[in-house]
Amino acid sequence: MPAPPVTISDAELVEHARGGDRAAFQELLDRHDERMRGLAYRLVAERPGMDEALIEAYVTAYKGLPNLRPGKDFGDWLYRITYNACVDEIRRRREDPTTRDLTVPAGPSTSEVVRAALAELPPSQRVTVVLVDGEGFHHAEVAEILGVAPGTVSSRLYRARTKLRRRLWDEVR
Amino acid sequence: MAELTDLVPVDDAFIRTAIRGLRAPEHHPAFWTELTGELDAVEVAMAPHRAPVRAPAPVRVAAPEHEPVPVPEPAPEPVVELEPVAAAAVHPPRREPLRARPPAHAAPAGEGERVRAFVPAPEAPTAKRRPVVHHDAAVVPQSLRRSSNAILLAIAVVAAVVALVAAVTLVRQRSDAGGPSPTEQPSADAAAAPI
């Protein structure tokens, strides 16, 4: 009977990674990469942008490991770093429109339709709707994250949902 | 004029399902390679700063440049089994609760270390008591100690003889002179002066 795999906690891996253990850091990324990919893909709405944002986020996390307070959840910490990297990536792509991918391939899947619909939204609305409807944050939390008034979050959310609904409805028809 | 979609409440569940159903694709094949390169660059840049928090380096045993001078091992002393009293002095007995402690003389032998320390030692397993010698004296060989004693004795005898001879000589000089002592004689000027 094979021995059960030894599960090492994130905190232990962080301690190893702090000491320069790249394998431990890689293990941490493997554990949280799927969640970070989901966030990045919804926020940036492009695969190249997702990869760019995640490389920046992971490098930032590696640099910041010594500053990670003991006991702080690595996943939440990495999530915030990834969010910031995605916002930077969105800003970069807005300044360079040639990098935006708004096309929908022929015979698109549902995911492609949703991705293209998100990509058409203004970044502020996209971030708001992804954080509320995609990530499950409350309006007040999103207001705090974005540094805007709760009323601003509500109005952005309303507009974003309206556009998405219209766009998806058009695709369905 | 407001559009119809603005007036109809937005179906949150619809949007939520659509967004959460959006599956992120896998990374580009070159993603991890590129990330590894970036992390390598970061590591090189941060190496001086991260050195103190790195895992401890493996212990290296460097070969000595010169052959070490052999240090003679101390001569093994003969192992002498301590008597129970001495053993009790080296290993103080454990403190026991005061209650239910029988007097030492009444305790049967072999009941415990503390009690055995006060019981005369049995004959068979113990070694003979070692002679008590002072460490300083033990350093000087016995033969040297004997000769030095003889020298000291000879010096004392000579000193006594010299003192005795001196005393005898002084007594003889005094008895031979018979007159006043030099301090009692008048000076030459006083003797020559007219009366």
Side-chain angles (χ1 to χ4, degrees):
Chain A
M1 182 177 173
V6 178
T7 305
I8 303 176
S9 67
D10 277 8
E12 289 173 302
L13 287 172
V14 166
E15 284 305 311
H16 282 86
R18 274 184 209 268
D21 187 346
R22 288 275 290 276
F25 185 67
Q26 184 63 49
E27 173 64 22
L28 284 168
L29 295 186
D30 289 344
R31 289 184 183 185
H32 297 278
D33 182 62
E34 186 174 358
R35 184 183 176 204
M36 301 308 142
R37 260 192 296 130
L39 173 67
Y41 191 59
R42 289 166 192 155
L43 285 175
V44 183
E46 296 168 31
R47 182 179 169 182
M50 174 192 79
D51 279 347
E52 290 291 326
L54 286 180
I55 284 180
E56 185 185 333
Y58 293 166
V59 169
T60 303
Y62 190 68
K63 287 179 185 172
L65 270 179
N67 302 324
L68 177 59
R69 288 194 305 247
K72 190 172 173 65
D73 187 82
F74 176 80
D76 290 347
W77 180 71
L78 185 62
Y79 185 91
R80 182 167 287 273
I81 290 175
T82 301
Y83 168 79
N84 290 332
C86 289
V87 170
D88 289 343
E89 184 65 22
I90 291 169
R91 197 171 291 135
R92 213 163 23 239
R93 287 177 174 265
R94 187 175 51 189
E95 292 168 359
D96 184 7
T98 59
T99 59
R100 297 180 65 188
D101 180 14
L102 299 178
T103 60
V104 178
S109 63
T110 307
S111 284
E112 268 303 320
V113 172
V114 174
R115 185 205 64 78
L118 281 172
E120 286 180 2
L121 292 175
S124 60
Q125 294 179 19
R126 190 194 317 155
V127 169
T128 303
V129 74
V130 166
L131 289 179
V132 173
D133 289 333
E135 302 298 319
F137 285 104
H138 293 292
H139 291 202
E141 292 172 322
V142 175
E144 191 178 340
I145 292 171
L146 299 178
V148 297
T152 306
V153 172
S154 296
S155 63
R156 286 180 184 177
L157 186 62
Y158 178 80
R159 293 194 187 100
R161 284 172 173 169
T162 302
K163 288 177 185 174
L164 277 177
R165 185 180 178 83
R166 188 186 301 154
R167 178 75 159 81
L168 295 176
W169 186 249
D170 288 344
E171 288 293 330
V172 170
R173 282 192 303 180
Chain B
M1 183 177 176
E3 294 184 11
L4 183 62
T5 51
D6 291 341
L7 301 176
V8 176
V10 176
D11 186 357
D12 292 348
F14 176 74
I15 301 297
R16 190 183 312 123
T17 304
I19 293 177
R20 292 189 181 178
L22 179 60
R23 291 287 155 217
E26 290 294 328
H27 291 293
H28 191 273
F31 175 82
W32 294 111
T33 308
E34 188 177 345
L35 178 62
T36 301
E38 293 282 344
L39 293 181
D40 286 343
V42 168
E43 206 162 70
V44 168
M46 295 177 64
H49 306 289
R50 297 190 64 161
V53 297
R54 280 199 173 282
V59 178
R60 295 177 187 169
V61 180
E65 292 181 0
H66 305 290
E67 203 59 34
V69 178
V71 179
E73 291 188 0
E77 291 189 353
V79 178
V80 178
E81 186 178 349
L82 292 175
E83 290 183 8
V85 175
V90 174
H91 303 288
R94 250 187 328 154
R95 293 198 59 154
E96 293 179 3
L98 293 177
R99 56 187 171 78
R101 186 197 295 176
H105 64 272
E111 192 169 89
E113 259 184 55
R114 192 192 63 77
V115 175
R116 283 182 62 184
F118 296 97
V119 175
E123 294 177 359
T126 55
K128 291 181 181 177
R129 188 187 295 271
R130 301 171 77 181
V132 178
V133 290
H134 296 290
H135 290 288
D136 294 340
V139 173
V140 183
Q142 191 74 15
S143 58
L144 189 59
R145 271 188 279 144
R146 275 195 204 119
S147 61
S148 64
N149 288 342
I151 292 170
L152 286 174
L153 183 61
I155 291 173
V157 169
V158 168
V161 168
V162 168
L164 184 63
V165 168
V168 169
T169 306
L170 186 62
V171 169
R172 277 184 186 168
Q173 282 179 351
R174 283 203 170 192
S175 60
D176 292 344
S181 65
T183 54
E184 291 173 352
Q185 291 179 357
S187 63
D189 294 341
I195 300 173

